[in-house]
Each structure stands twice: as C-alpha cells, then as structure tokens.
Amino acid sequence: MNTPSFRAEQADGTSIRIGALVPLTRPGWTEAGRHLLAGLELAVREVNDAGGVAGRPIDLVVRDTAADPRKAAAAVEELARLGVVAVAGEYHSVVARTAATRADALSLPYLCSSAVLDELTEQPTEWVARIAPAQSRGWRIYADFLLGAGHGRIAVAAESSGYWTAGTRILRDHLAPRGGTVIEFDMRTLTPTALCDELAGSRATALLLLVGNPEPAVPVVKAVRRDRRLADVLIGAPAGQPELPAWAELLGADGAGIPFLRYLPEHLGPLGARIGTALRERLAETPSFVAFEGYDTITVLAAMMSEYGTDRRSLAGSWPRIAVEGTRGRIQFSRTPGISVRQWTWAPIHVADRDPADPDRFRFLHAE
C-alpha cells in the first residue's frame, strides 16, 4: 500500500523530494512506523515553516514497507525514478538492509533512521549512513547490564531472522569470556507453555524476548508471569518492545519490570524537550525514541542540503563533513570498524524498564 505523500503547500515542481520508508501495515510493527513517520513529518513541517531549504519546500514521499524486504526494494527503485534526492527512514533491520543495498546500487543517498543491524550492506558504501546505534554496541551494553545484575545464565526465546540471529551471536560472544552462558529456545517449534516448561528446567535466571511484537512476545510474557516456577526469572527485551505505548496497554502490570534498550539520554536538553512536547501533541501519546530518530533524520538531511546542495553525489560525499545538533546530541558520521555504513557514533543508549509501580513511567537502569 502506498500512502499519500506529505506535501508542503507549494508542491509545484520546485519542492525537494525526500523518500521515506515506513512500516505502516502488518506484518510490520505499525506502531513503530507511526512514531517514525510522526518524527519525519514534524521535522519536514518545521523546515518548511522556516522557509525550506534555500527557499524550496521539502516534499516527503512516503512508502509503506510492511516489513517486507521486497516492497522496500521496489519502493527504493520507484523513489529513485521519482527524482528524490535521498531516502530516509525504516524501522526493521532486515528491511533496511535490503533498502540500503538497493540505494547503494542506484547511487541514491539513504539515511537509515532506526534499524541497527551492523551490516546494512555487504561491502562498505559511501551512499548509506545511519542515525541509530549499531546492534553490536547496544546489545553489548545490555549484556553488561545482565552480568551486573547477577544474571550469567541467559535463555533466549528466538524466532528465525537475521536480526535475532545476530543478536544471539553478539550476546554469546560477549558473555562467554565473562563466564556467561546463552541457552537458545527456538520459538518456531515451542508454544509459550512449552517454553515455560523448557525454561523451568534450564536453570536460567533471565529470559530474553528475541521475537516479534505483539505476537508472540505478549503471550510469552503472560505465560511466564503466570508460571510459579519462573517467579524469579527476569524477562528482558533488548530490541525495545516495551518502549511503545501498546505494550503497556496489552500487558498492564505484566509488561513492567522488563529491561530494554532505549536510545534516549536520561534527560533531554532544550531542543529534545521541545520536540518531545510537539511529538506528544502529534501522536496523542508519549513519543518513543523511534519518533526522535525520525525527527533527527530529516534535520540532518535538511542541514546537508542547505550546506552542500541537493545533488545526490554531493550529499553522499558530505556525510563525514556534516555536524548537526539533534534532539539527543550532536550528530556526526564516521567510519566505525565492523560497520559497513557511515555511522553516528554514538547515539545515547541506556537500559530502561517500565516502573512496576507505574507502568506509564520509565526507569533508568544502566548506561555504558
């Protein structure tokens, strides 16, 4: 499904087109997509209200990926034909990887907003950069949090995906030299009840949800919470499922006390606080870090175009030269060992959970 493009009032052929990839329909995580789009749109609105880029409004041309790599590839090709100067967005890592590969092949600048998979492209490229931190960095911080909390025997309930497989490998490689152990349960073959039985016999003190949301993450949480044998097992979700408001709506108190990675500072500065208020008004709910990532993505692209023009090659060449104040800190891009694209090193990362005393409130638990 293609959604209507977000257009400035003067979309008369003088506008600057930016393509946006967003999961807006199932099986994509539509709530994350809605927050990402809210951030992208708010930034476009603010740039245009301030006069645009060199007097030209930005026209955000939105395409729904529905978490489907094939749709993402087709969307990138279509957007390139439509004359966009760059592509922004996407939440799902596997989808973003396909989009980045196509953008690289088409010599089209792509600034990835939220996907964290380390290898967004098979080979290093000058055409792709990323706002979100790499998975290896965030998940190592999460592993250190687990060890610090006394959890050395970790179970993972995992689905089949390049993203979940990479996450399991990062955890195992980081924990093993420090005396930790990772036990993997394949959720392609286990029901939530069967998982509880396996978990009870595993001697694991923590269970990590490396699965989709709301299915099967929500049923797994409910099953574990109701199993008296597992009363002392910590449930964790490094991929951030508890961040979005629907988590609390679906699980209530059961969804609290589940640590996850959150890409926000403990306290926002003046710009972040102002944008947080505007995002809350736009979404009619607490904005997630995904919404801030969307806002920062457009902010960076607008600054690049203002300074270096709208030629695609000029934009791609400006990644290492740009420095922009974003909602969560100063954004600059560089080459990072093991990362195939230009990377903001680093967005703020901390481990948080929803407060059991008030599931609508987040607690700061750990940072690097």
Side-chain angles (χ1 to χ4, degrees):
M1 164 181 155
N2 290 342
T3 62
S5 62
F6 177 85
R7 297 185 176 277
E9 292 182 4
Q10 289 181 300
D12 57 1
T14 64
S15 63
I16 301 169
R17 287 184 163 188
I18 295 177
L21 305 176
V22 188
L24 296 175
T25 55
R26 294 291 184 188
W29 191 355
T30 59
E31 190 180 22
R34 187 167 60 84
H35 278 234
L36 176 57
L37 183 58
L40 295 167
E41 289 185 340
L42 176 62
V44 168
R45 178 75 70 188
E46 291 199 347
V47 170
N48 288 343
D49 285 350
V53 175
R56 299 169 63 191
I58 294 176
D59 177 7
L60 192 66
V61 186
V62 180
R63 293 295 179 264
D64 174 23
T65 65
D68 185 336
R70 293 170 299 179
K71 287 188 176 182
V76 171
E77 292 170 2
E78 179 198 5
L79 291 167
R81 291 194 301 270
L82 289 173
V84 302
V85 300
V87 174
E90 191 47 46
Y91 176 81
H92 297 283
S93 282
V94 175
V95 179
R97 178 176 169 82
T98 298
T101 299
R102 291 307 302 147
D104 180 41
L106 295 168
S107 299
L108 178 62
Y110 172 37
L111 182 51
C112 181
S113 300
S114 299
V116 299
L117 196 66
D118 281 32
E119 296 180 353
L120 275 183
T121 55
E122 291 186 3
Q123 301 295 329
T125 175
E126 296 298 326
W127 293 98
V128 182
R130 175 168 51 196
I131 290 283
Q135 185 181 16
S136 57
R137 183 174 182 82
W139 288 47
R140 287 170 188 156
I141 291 172
Y142 194 88
D144 287 337
F145 159 74
L146 291 173
L147 289 172
H151 299 285
R153 191 169 178 82
I154 313 299
V156 298
E159 291 182 310
S160 177
S161 160
Y163 174 63
W164 301 125
T165 299
T168 301
R169 183 179 65 252
I170 292 165
L171 291 169
R172 183 175 284 116
D173 290 348
H174 193 71
L175 290 168
R178 296 162 178 79
T181 301
V182 174
I183 307 159
E184 188 171 356
F185 295 124
D186 187 350
M187 292 309 295
R188 293 173 299 179
T189 61
L190 293 174
T191 64
T193 299
L195 171 66
C196 289
D197 292 337
E198 295 287 341
L199 185 60
S202 71
R203 295 185 293 112
T205 62
L207 171 69
L208 306 187
L209 304 172
L210 308 193
V211 294
N213 183 58
E215 298 287 340
V218 169
V220 167
V221 171
K222 290 181 177 179
V224 173
R225 292 295 200 211
R226 283 154 179 71
D227 194 317
R228 293 182 179 179
R229 299 172 297 174
L230 307 176
D232 295 328
V233 172
L234 173 77
I235 304 174
Q241 295 95 324
E243 167 76 3
L244 278 297
W247 181 266
E249 294 170 7
L250 292 170
L251 284 165
D254 283 347
I258 298 179
F260 65 96
L261 286 168
R262 198 168 196 232
Y263 305 133
L264 288 171
E266 185 174 7
H267 302 290
L268 290 167
L271 174 60
R274 179 179 70 79
I275 298 306
T277 298
L279 287 168
R280 181 186 293 272
E281 293 175 355
R282 179 175 286 266
L283 290 163
E285 61 191 15
T286 301
S288 68
F289 64 79
V290 181
F292 288 92
E293 289 172 333
Y295 182 93
D296 285 341
T297 299
I298 295 297
T299 299
V300 168
L301 288 175
M304 290 168 62
M305 292 187 295
S306 293
E307 189 165 350
Y308 298 102
T310 58
D311 174 75
R312 291 176 179 176
R313 189 166 297 277
S314 296
L315 283 176
S318 69
W319 299 124
R321 300 198 296 272
I322 197 70
V324 182
E325 288 301 325
T327 60
R328 299 161 298 143
R330 190 167 179 81
I331 301 172
Q332 295 177 276
F333 299 98
S334 61
R335 285 289 182 195
T336 303
I339 310 299
S340 61
V341 302
R342 296 278 182 182
Q343 177 75 55
W344 175 19
T345 51
W346 295 96
I349 306 172
H350 71 268
V351 180
D353 70 359
R354 289 181 177 271
D355 189 345
D358 179 7
D360 289 330
R361 189 177 79 86
F362 294 102
R363 299 188 299 184
F364 182 93
L365 303 178
H366 175 83
E368 188 178 26

